[in-house]
Every structure is written in structure tokens, then in C-alpha cells.
């Protein structure tokens, strides 16, 4: 009975703590500046009542780890043959993790080390208890306290983490949080550079210690003298199994209430850890399984009409003029929202160099990113297709030898490079770009003297551009035209950069500083580039991978997808402003059009300057796929749902307005056709 009381006490206390902190967190998030608060009575019920149930169901499921730990409270494990089995399992696992190059070690060396140390601890602690039986009861007692404390600590850490994640993205955990777990080294380094982590950790640990002492004060020592019989363990495991199944079913049922038109209601009522698990297991969404479809024949007919494709669904682009094989340099800027530029209303003088360049080239004032992650932007300018549901193609399997800009450029005799200031294994960039014809140059290729300043994300943008000039000079010496894609990193939290470059000190660690420093580095790059013999024979494209934020009360707030776009070549292209609706996927086909390339195109991206250009744009999250045309946006969602939103225009960009009661079937079918038929197209 004492063992049963121990189990019941642990379950009730941990569940109560999860529910209490869930309530407090929802209240705190309501007062966060990111949150828009304008809810009906029913929506308040959803947030707090359904939210509490979501927390309870999650608490029931999460107790499984504690229960497994309690199952191993046993005297039999010190007898043969269990002794040999335990040593064999722990020893083999430790050797594999420590001395073999496992996938886990390759992608997350820090986590591998932690697991190895835990296994080593288990080997040592088991050996001590095996040799000294008299300490087993005390060891069991304090191990229980330690596990309970770890649970409390993790619950409190999660509450703090959810607050900071919400402040950054206006959402509960999503795929970004999954990436953060995978790339632990970079993320932990980023946290320590961005926040006062030592004081925060101290506060969290102190709260966890006090809470654990309070919750454990009524546990008596004699509860640990005996262990449960196997029969009782089986019975309790069966009961707990039923509770877990019911909790999972009810949690799944509650998902049906998370489709409110106000995304803040959906996010606030959800449990963050459950959202994390959803993101982890649903990163690869099949369009045909989860989204509204039309017959393939009809979809291809729509696309053939939109993109002037022939019967084989290929657009054969032929120019009246001879091809011109100019050099091409594409600069993709980390998190450069359109509203950071003076051109789009900013009054803080953050981007003097970009603002100057925008007046000297072909400027696209109505350009929209396809997503809200770097891989989405890289995918858009490389594959020129609408974003896939779930994870980016860059991070999917079987993503090599695709029909891409590199494929076209290689056919024209170009050298093709991708230069990144960080480690290109991050987000699977190296595998994707090298598998599709790019020579990848990343932080590992920088010599020590080429690195003057860096953060956990990579070298500063000045170092990146200095290296790029060297690469471009070497490419020019080959006598072949070159295409070089440069991806910046400095405009990323923690926003650290060399001091003395701009009038915002690095110590402020603010987004404005990151923006202004990147702009400064771009200015320095063009100062150097103009002195090179290849400059006058080069076309530059400058754009962003995505905006700094995509949070809003709508699932897809279109104004948060508005990015700058510029094609710059002062000796080739006259200054102009293009006000057509343009998608990120259209930039490279437009450049190919300027150079009069002839090619068979499987791109969905188009030459914006062509009289055949069909104005439309794409804007998506991981599960919501937006199609923009004629001041309307169709949003396709998992679960075969579709909505239409009216778009309004502020002074500088389109903004998502109210949901329409009826959906325009023509627009809906165009949206479906584009997303249904898009995807990975292999080079034939």
C-alpha cells in the first residue's frame, strides 16, 4: 500500500504542477506584446477550460517516464541472470555511443555525450548497489527524490522556454523548436549569447528546489523499504495504460477545437509539449493525404494555362535575342523584413546601403516570401516551386538531382557555388546544395585569419563577404561565367557583431543592430566588388530568406511575408520599379529572362517581365498553404480545409483581412493545382 501511495502521490503532484503552470503561462502569454487579445466568451472557455484538460491529458501521458522508473524499483535485478543482462546492455550501448560514428553523434554530439555519461553513471551506480546491499533502500529513496526534482525542473524550464519562444514567434512550439532540439550545440550557444542565462538558470533551479521540497515533505522513508510484487506492477501498469489511452484519445479529440479563425486562440488553448510532438512526427505532410484535391488532369490543365506549358507540362522558353552569359551573384539576407527599409516606411535609418541600391536597380515593391524559415527561402530561389506542406524539400530525404537553377546554369557552362557563413550541415543545407550541383563553401572552409568575429551561427557578415570576394575572383580567373549564392547570418539572434562598425553597440543585442550591421557589411561588399574586373559583367540579386517575424492573429499575416527584392547591374539594367505581385520563386526565372536564356522549364516561377506573366504569390506555414491573387488569399489547411481571405493594402504591402463567407472556386482550384502538382522534380 505504501508503494501505491508513493505512485499516486507522484502522479497527483506532477499533474497538478503541470496544470497550475499551464494556467499561469496562459495568463502571462495573454499580456505578452506579441498577443492580440480580442476573444468571445466561447473562446475564453476554449483557452482556459480546454487548455486545462489538454494539460491534464499531457500530464497523464508524460508520467509514463516516471512510471517506467518506478517499475525498476526491484530487488530481483541484483540476482542472476539479471546482473549479466544489465551489464551487457549498458556496456554495449556505452561503447557504441562513445566509440562509433552514429547518426546521433553526427547531428548532435552534445546529446550523444550526455547519454553516454548517463549510461556510465548507471553502470557505476548499479555496481555500487550490487556490492553494498545495505545502501539500496537509501539509494532508492534519494533516486526517487532526484527523479521527482528532474520532473519539476523540466516542467518549470518548459514554462520559461515557452514564454521566450512565444515572445519570438507568437506561437507554441512548432518545427522550429524541433530544429532547436536537433541542433543543440548552436541553439545552446545562441541562448547564452542572447539572454542572461546564468541568472535565468539560477532562478529556475531555485524555484524547482523550493517546489520539490514543498511537494516531497510528506513522503516517509519507510515507503522505500519494500518494492512492489510483479503481480501488483502488472495490475497498476494495466490501469495506467487505460488512462493513457483515454488521455491520448481525448487529447486527439481536443485537436478538433484548435481550428479557430484566430490563431492565438488555437495556440493558447494548446499544450506546448503536445504541439512539439505534433511538429516532430508530422514534419512530412503528404498533400494528397491531408489537403483538398482536384483531378490531376484538371490541375495540370489549369497550370498549363497559367504557365503557358505544352502538352508534356513543360514550358519551353525561347528568346528572340541571343543568350547573354553574365555572371550572377544572389545575396539572400537573413530575416530582412521589408519594413526595415526606409523605402517601406522605416524611419530609423537601419538600411542606408540597401535603400541606396534599391534606387539604382530594378526594385520589386510587391514581393513576398514563401515561408518563415531560412530553408523555405533557399528552397524558393533554388527550386522555384511553391512550398511543400510539412518540412522544406531541403530537409526531406531523396532531395538530390532535382530540377533547379543549378541544373539550368550548368547547362549554360556556369560554375555554381553556395557560400554560407555558418556550418552547412545545419538544416541539411550541405547535403541539399551539394546534391544539386552546387559547390558548398561554409565556415569550415574559412582559414583562421579569415575569421575576425563570429557567433554560434557562424562568421560575421563582413568575413562572409570578404571570403566571397576571394571566391568570385578565383571563379573569374577560370574564364567561365559564375553563379554564386551567398547566405548571410549576422541578422539573427543574438545580434552580435564587431563593435565600431555602426552606431548601435553590439552589447544591446537588438534586432535593429543586426539589421544595420548586415546592411553595413553589404555596403562594404559592393565597395570591394566595384573594384573588381568582373563587376561590370555581373548581375546581382538581393532579397531576404524570410521576414523577421510572422506572428499575427491570422495563420498567414501576409504583411509579415513582405520582403525586399532587387536586381542590380548598373551597366546592364536601368533603375526601375516593378509593382506587380511577385513571389520569391519568380526571382531567378526573371534573371534568366533578362539574360535571354532558352530552356525547358519545369519551374512554377516565372519571368516577371514577360507579357505572359500571371500575377500570383505563395505564402505558407508548415501546415497552412496560402495562394494570393487579385487581392484575395486562399488558405489550404491539413484536414482538407480551405478558406478565403480578403486582402487590403496598406501603404507598402498587402495585409490579410477578414475571412470571406464564400470561396471563389476559380481561385480555389488554382491554389489547389499549384500545391497539388508542385514538389520534387528529378532531372531527366
Amino acid at each position: 500500500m505504501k508503494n501505491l501511495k508513493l505512485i499516486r502521490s507522484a502522479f497527483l503532484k506532477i499533474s497538478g504542477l503541470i496544470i497550475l503552470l499551464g494556467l499561469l503561462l496562459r495568463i502571462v502569454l495573454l499580456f505578452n506584446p506579441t498577443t492580440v487579445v480580442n476573444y468571445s466568451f466561447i473562446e475564453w472557455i476554449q483557452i482556459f477550460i480546454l487548455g486545462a484538460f489538454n494539460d491534464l491529458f499531457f500530464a497523464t501521458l508524460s508520467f509514463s517516464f516516471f512510471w517506467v522508473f518506478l517499475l525498476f524499483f526491484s530487488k530481483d535485478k541484483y540476482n542472476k541472470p539479471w546482473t549479466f543482462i544489465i551489464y551487457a546492455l549498458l556496456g554495449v550501448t556505452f561503447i557504441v555511443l562513445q566509440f562509433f560514428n552514429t547518426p546521433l553523434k553526427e547531428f548532435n554530439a552534445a546529446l550523444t555525450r550526455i547519454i553516454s555519461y548517463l549510461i556510465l553513471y548507471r553502470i557505476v551506480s548499479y555496481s555500487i548497489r550490487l556490492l553494498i546491499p545495505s545502501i539500496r533502500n537509501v539509494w532508492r529513496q534519494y533516486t526517487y527524490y532526484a527523479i521527482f526534482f528532474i520532473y519539476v525542473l523540466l516542467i518549470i524550464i518548459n514554462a520559461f522556454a515557452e514564454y521566450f519562444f512565444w515572445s519570438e514567434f507568437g506561437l507554441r512550439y512548432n518545427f522550429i523548436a524541433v530544429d532547436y532540439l536537433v541542433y543543440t550545440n548552436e541553439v545552446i550557444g545562441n541562448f547564452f549569447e542572447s539572454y542572461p542565462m546564468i541568472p535565468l538558470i539560477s532562478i529556475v533551479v531555485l524555484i524547482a528546489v523550493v517546489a520539490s521540497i514543498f511537494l516531497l515533505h510528506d513522503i516517509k522513508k519507510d515507503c522505500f523499504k519494500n518494492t512492489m510484487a510483479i503481480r501488483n506492477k502488472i495490475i497498476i501498469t494495466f490501469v495506467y495504460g487505460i488512462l493513457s489511452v483515454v488521455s491520448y484519445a481525448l487529447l486527439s479529440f481536443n485537436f478538433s477545437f484548435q481550428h479557430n479563425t484566430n490563431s492565438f486562440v488555437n495556440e493558447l488553448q494548446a499544450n506546448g509539449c503536445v504541439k512539439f510532438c505534433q511538429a516532430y512526427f508530422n514534419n512530412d505532410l503528404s498533400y494528397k493525404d491531408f489537403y483538398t484535391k482536384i483531378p490531376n488532369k484538371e490541375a495540370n490543365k489549369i497550370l498549363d494555362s497559367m504557365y503557358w506549358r505544352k502538352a508534356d507540362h513543360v514550358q519551353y522558353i525561347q528568346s528572340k535575342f541571343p543568350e547573354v552569359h553574365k555572371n550572377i551573384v544572389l545575396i539572400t539576407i537573413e530575416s530582412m523584413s521589408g519594413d526595415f527599409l526606409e523605402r517601406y516606411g522605416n524611419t530609423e535609418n537601419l538600411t542606408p546601403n540597401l535603400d541606396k541600391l534599391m534606387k539604382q536597380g530594378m526594385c520589386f515593391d510587391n514581393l513576398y516570401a514563401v515561408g518563415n524559415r531560412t530553408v523555405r527561402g533557399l528552397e524558393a530561389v533554388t527550386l522555384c516551386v511553391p512550398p511543400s506542406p510539412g518540412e522544406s524539400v531541403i530537409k526531406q530525404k531523396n532531395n538530390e538531382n532535382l530540377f533547379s537553377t543549378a541544373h539550368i546554369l550548368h547547362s549554360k557552362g556556369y560554375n555554381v557555388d553556395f557560400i554560407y557563413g555558418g556550418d552547412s550541415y545545419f538544416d541539411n543545407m550541405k547535403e541539399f546544395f551539394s546534391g544539386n550541383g552546387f559547390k558548398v563553401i561554409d565556415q569550415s572552409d574559412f582559414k583562421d585569419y579569415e575569421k575576425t568575429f563570429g557567433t554560434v551561427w557562424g562568421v560575421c557578415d563582413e568575413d562572409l563577404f570578404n571570403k566571397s570576394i576571394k571566391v568570385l575572383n578565383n571563379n573569374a580567373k577560370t574564364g567561365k561565367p559564375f553563379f554564386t549564392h551567398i547566405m548571410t547570418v549576422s541578422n539573427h539572434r543574438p545580434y552580435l557583431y564587431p563593435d565600431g562598425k555602426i552606431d548601435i553597440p553590439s552589447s544591446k543585442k537588438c534586432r535593429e543592430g543586426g539589421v544595420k550591421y548586415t546592411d553595413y557589411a553589404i555596403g562594404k561588399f559592393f565597395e570591394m566588388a566595384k573594384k573588381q574586373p568582373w563587376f561590370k559583367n555581373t548581375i546581382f540579386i538581393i532579397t531576404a530568406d524570410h521576414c523577421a517575424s510572422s506572428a499575427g492573429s491570422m495563420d498567414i499575416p501576409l504583411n509579415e511575408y513582405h520582403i525586399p527584392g532587387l536586381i542590380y547591374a548598373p551597366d546592364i539594367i536601368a533603375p526601375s520599379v516593378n509593382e506587380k505581385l511577385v513571389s520569391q520563386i519568380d526571382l531567378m526565372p526573371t534573371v534568366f529572362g533578362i539574360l535571354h536564356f532558352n530552356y525547358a522549364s519545369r519551374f512554377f516561377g516565372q519571368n516577371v517581365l514577360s507579357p505572359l506573366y500571371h500575377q500570383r504569390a505563395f505564402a505558407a506555414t508548415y501546415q497552412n498553404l496560402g495562394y494570393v491573387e487579385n487581392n484575395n488569399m486562399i488558405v489550404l489547411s491539413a484536414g482538407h480545409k480551405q478558406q478565403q481571405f480578403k486582402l487590403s493594402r496598406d501603404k507598402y504591402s498587402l495585409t490579410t483581412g477578414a475571412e470571406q463567407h464564400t470561396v471563389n472556386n476559380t481561385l480555389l482550384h488554382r491554389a489547389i493545382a499549384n500545391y497539388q502538382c508542385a514538389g520534387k522534380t528529378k532531372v531527366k
Side-chain angles (χ1 to χ4, degrees), residues 294-569:
I294 57 178
N296 283 333
K297 185 176 181 180
E298 179 186 351
N300 278 307
K301 184 178 180 180
I302 291 171
L303 297 181
D304 291 346
S305 174
M306 287 181 66
Y307 301 136
W308 297 85
R309 305 189 314 186
K310 300 298 183 181
D312 57 358
H313 311 309
V314 175
Q315 182 183 14
Y316 293 93
I317 298 173
Q318 297 290 325
S319 175
K320 299 177 182 178
F321 304 97
E323 288 190 357
V324 182
H325 293 171
K326 301 287 186 183
N327 304 315
I328 307 170
V329 175
L330 168 61
I331 301 173
T332 307
I333 308 172
E334 172 70 44
S335 305
M336 184 59 72
S337 301
D339 56 16
F340 289 139
L341 278 67
E342 181 184 54
R343 182 177 190 85
Y344 304 118
N346 192 286
T347 59
E348 299 176 80
N349 192 35
L350 298 178
T351 57
N353 293 294
L354 282 175
D355 285 317
K356 181 179 178 181
L357 290 169
M358 296 286 274
K359 297 173 184 176
Q360 297 174 350
M362 184 184 296
C363 174
F364 297 92
D365 276 350
N366 207 15
L367 171 66
Y368 294 87
V370 301
N372 48 25
R373 292 280 281 131
T374 295
V375 284
R376 286 301 190 188
L378 297 178
E379 171 190 89
V381 296
T382 304
L383 301 180
C384 306
V385 294
S388 57
E391 192 55 272
S392 164
V393 170
I394 291 178
K395 302 187 70 174
Q396 293 178 17
K397 298 178 181 178
N398 194 29
N399 65 1
E400 73 287 345
N401 199 33
L402 302 179
F403 187 86
S404 67
T405 53
H407 171 70
I408 301 299
L409 290 160
H410 277 299
S411 73
K412 307 298 181 184
Y414 279 71
N415 287 324
V416 181
D417 294 332
F418 174 70
I419 307 179
Y420 180 56
D423 291 316
S424 59
Y425 83 90
F426 186 78
D427 274 345
N428 204 42
M429 285 187 275
K430 186 167 188 173
E431 182 175 336
F432 170 79
F433 281 106
S434 62
N436 286 286
F438 289 80
K439 178 184 177 182
V440 177
I441 301 164
D442 68 0
Q443 183 174 217
S444 65
D445 297 298
F446 284 63
K447 296 179 173 60
D448 289 341
Y449 66 84
E450 293 176 320
K451 304 176 185 177
T452 65
F453 186 93
T455 70
V456 69
W457 295 111
V459 299
C460 66
D461 285 348
E462 282 179 276
D463 291 347
L464 170 67
F465 285 123
N466 288 337
K467 180 71 171 180
S468 298
I469 289 289
K470 294 179 182 179
V471 173
L472 296 172
N473 285 341
N474 289 333
N475 282 338
K477 293 175 183 177
T478 67
K480 296 175 64 176
F482 56 77
F483 170 79
T484 303
H485 184 176
I486 305 169
M487 178 71 221
T488 73
V489 299
S490 289
N491 185 26
H492 194 296
R493 191 179 295 278
Y495 314 120
L496 295 174
Y497 43 83
D499 279 322
K501 306 293 184 176
I502 60 174
D503 57 5
I504 303 175
S506 175
S507 59
K508 289 192 70 173
K509 296 184 179 180
C510 62
R511 169 72 75 177
E512 291 75 13
V515 171
K516 194 161 191 176
Y517 172 71
T518 290
D519 177 82
Y520 168 85
I522 290 172
K524 288 296 182 183
F525 169 75
F526 277 99
E527 285 182 16
M528 291 186 288
K530 289 176 181 178
K531 298 175 183 178
Q532 311 307 319
W534 46 261
F535 176 78
K536 292 186 177 182
N537 194 42
T538 302
I539 291 179
F540 298 86
I541 308 105
I542 304 174
T543 190
D545 56 352
H546 57 85
C547 283
S549 171
S550 59
S553 59
M554 300 292 182
D555 286 321
I556 304 178
L558 196 58
N559 58 304
E560 298 294 348
Y561 287 72
H562 182 230
I563 57 173
L566 172 70
I567 299 176
Y568 172 78

Side-chain angles (χ1 to χ4, degrees), residues 115-134:
I115 295 174
S116 298
Y117 296 150
L118 288 174
I119 291 173
L120 184 61
Y121 162 77
R122 293 298 297 175
I123 293 173
V124 173
S125 65
Y126 179 75
S127 300
I128 293 172
R129 283 173 283 139
L130 184 66
L131 296 173
I132 312 175
S134 60

Side-chain angles (χ1 to χ4, degrees), residues 620-650:
T621 63
Y622 291 107
Q623 295 190 26
N624 299 305
L625 310 175
Y627 175 83
V628 181
E629 184 180 339
N630 291 333
N631 292 323
N632 286 282
M633 179 166 63
I634 300 292
V635 176
L636 305 173
S637 302
H640 308 283
K641 298 180 176 63
Q642 57 272 329
Q643 299 167 284
Q644 179 172 325
F645 295 87
K646 189 69 178 174
L647 302 177
S648 59
R649 173 168 286 282
D650 61 20

